[in-house]
Amino acid sequence: MENAIEINGLRKKFGNFGVEDVSFTLPKGFIMGFVGKNGAGKTTTIKAILNMLNRDSGEIKIFGKDNLQHEAEIKQKIGVVMDSPFYEQEWTLVQVGKMLKPFYPGWSDQKFNEMLKQFQLAPNKRVKELSRGMKMKIMVACALAHDPDLLILDEPTSGLDAVARDELLEILQSFISNENKSILFSTHITTDLEKIADYLTFIDNGKIVHSDTKDNMLEKYVIVKGGRDALTPEQKALIIGYHETKVNFDGITDKANLKNFPKSLVIEPCTMDELVVRFNKEGRNKS
């Protein structure tokens, strides 16, 4: 299977913070949710993929090609939506399209105008007049206007209302209906992940905590609960995101570990919320 993104051993330090030995793979034709709290390292990783910063070490390949050696070619295949637009505030939306067009040989004015119409964006409206939701839509319109094979989105639904968020997710699902297209989107919103993600990669404190298909993770892990003194230290080490009160404990664990636990524990199916909370907690515990 061809991979849209391959990252091996990415490292970038900024004083006391950075990303450390980040490695994960996004197979072509799928959507990966890149999950972590603000400041976890998602944006740093994305900027490294786009070669917007000089990394300390590591290798990044996009569709099998090194992103440094083939930077110009690769960037023609990528559509990017960051958390805020970089366009001049006085530009009209028509001007936004005209300014970006020279950078992309595959740019389609027809596609861009169709998306403005679909998003109900007035062509003569200025960037400074746009709401948060409208700004996200114009960035998506620009990202798709040159027919990219890979979409990279950094917190695209953050700050959007429920209607605008659902609308954006529908656009992403439509984009991925072409098996040659792929999406990496960073988020901490679990409902987004439930709706469209095929793969999940968790990052916390600059380190990858876990990466797998969403279905595998929901099938593999279960919630475990019990009395605070029910487990030995060795058994506690098998719990991801271990949390205890004065009376009880809870966390998640691989189903394969259940044979090592007392029969008295309460076992429940794992949810997307639990995966996000526990893997983030585990990352902080190990930092």
Side-chain angles (χ1 to χ4, degrees):
M1 180 183 295
E2 183 181 1
N3 293 318
I5 300 175
E6 298 175 55
I7 302 180
N8 292 295
L10 173 65
R11 184 178 183 274
K12 175 64 181 180
K13 280 290 185 181
F14 302 96
N16 294 326
F17 175 76
V19 294
E20 184 85 28
D21 194 28
V22 168
S23 301
F24 64 83
T25 298
L26 170 60
K28 181 179 176 180
F30 294 94
I31 301 177
M32 175 177 283
F34 193 32
V35 191
K37 292 181 176 293
N38 292 335
K42 301 188 302 296
T43 299
T44 298
T45 302
I46 287 174
K47 286 184 176 180
I49 293 172
L50 299 173
N51 199 22
M52 294 173 64
L53 52 79
N54 294 320
R55 57 185 181 257
D56 298 332
S57 60
E59 180 184 56
I60 299 174
K61 291 184 178 181
I62 306 298
F63 297 113
K65 296 185 177 182
D66 185 276
N67 77 324
L68 298 180
Q69 297 178 16
H70 303 273
E71 180 177 9
E73 176 186 350
I74 286 171
K75 286 188 173 180
Q76 292 299 321
K77 297 181 177 181
I78 299 177
V80 180
V81 177
M82 304 301 281
D83 58 352
S84 60
F86 55 85
Y87 319 130
E88 286 289 338
Q89 293 296 302
E90 293 297 330
W91 286 354
T92 65
L93 302 192
V94 170
Q95 288 175 316
V96 169
K98 287 181 178 179
M99 295 302 292
L100 293 181
K101 180 178 180 178
F103 294 98
Y104 298 101
W107 181 277
S108 169
D109 287 331
Q110 180 179 349
K111 176 70 172 179
F112 180 70
N113 291 329
E114 286 175 353
M115 298 209 69
L116 291 185
K117 185 175 181 180
Q118 178 183 344
F119 292 156
Q120 297 181 321
L121 295 172
N124 292 323
K125 203 172 189 68
R126 297 186 184 277
V127 173
K128 67 179 182 181
E129 299 171 333
L130 301 179
S131 67
R132 165 69 177 170
M134 288 179 177
K135 287 179 179 177
M136 190 58 60
K137 289 177 180 179
I138 186 59
M139 285 190 287
V140 171
C142 292
L144 296 179
H146 66 280
D147 192 30
D149 292 324
L150 172 64
L151 269 183
I152 297 179
L153 307 100
D154 191 10
E155 296 284 358
T157 60
S158 179
L160 298 184
D161 60 44
V163 174
R165 197 161 64 237
D166 283 343
E167 188 176 7
L168 176 57
L169 294 181
E170 287 178 5
I171 292 167
L172 298 184
Q173 286 177 314
S174 176
F175 175 80
I176 206 72
S177 63
N178 182 329
E179 63 183 15
N180 292 316
K181 309 293 186 180
S182 309
I183 298 175
L184 174 70
F185 78 106
S186 73
T187 186
H188 58 271
I189 302 175
T190 54
T191 52
D192 294 351
L193 301 171
E194 288 178 318
K195 287 181 179 179
I196 67 170
D198 302 303
Y199 285 78
L200 300 175
T201 294
F202 291 90
I203 187 170
D204 196 71
N205 285 325
K207 298 179 180 179
I208 299 299
V209 180
H210 197 64
S211 185
D212 201 349
T213 68
K214 178 181 68 178
D215 291 344
N216 280 351
M217 294 185 73
L218 289 172
E219 174 62 27
K220 182 177 183 179
Y221 295 99
V222 291
I223 301 170
V224 289
K225 301 177 180 179
R228 178 177 178 176
D229 299 324
L231 302 181
T232 66
E234 292 77 14
Q235 291 169 332
K236 287 182 181 180
L238 299 175
I239 304 294
I240 296 170
Y242 181 87
H243 170 262
E244 67 177 35
T245 66
K246 292 181 179 179
V247 179
N248 300 314
F249 86 88
D250 54 66
I252 65 174
T253 192
D254 190 320
K255 284 181 180 178
N257 294 327
L258 294 180
K259 64 181 181 294
N260 301 306
F261 295 147
K263 301 295 184 183
S264 60
L265 299 185
V266 176
I267 310 299
E268 299 176 354
C270 199
T271 64
M272 182 64 63
D273 281 331
E274 285 293 327
L275 284 176
V276 172
V277 170
R278 302 299 173 167
F279 275 109
N280 281 334
K281 182 178 176 63
E282 185 72 4
R284 291 192 295 277
N285 288 343
K286 290 182 177 180
S287 64

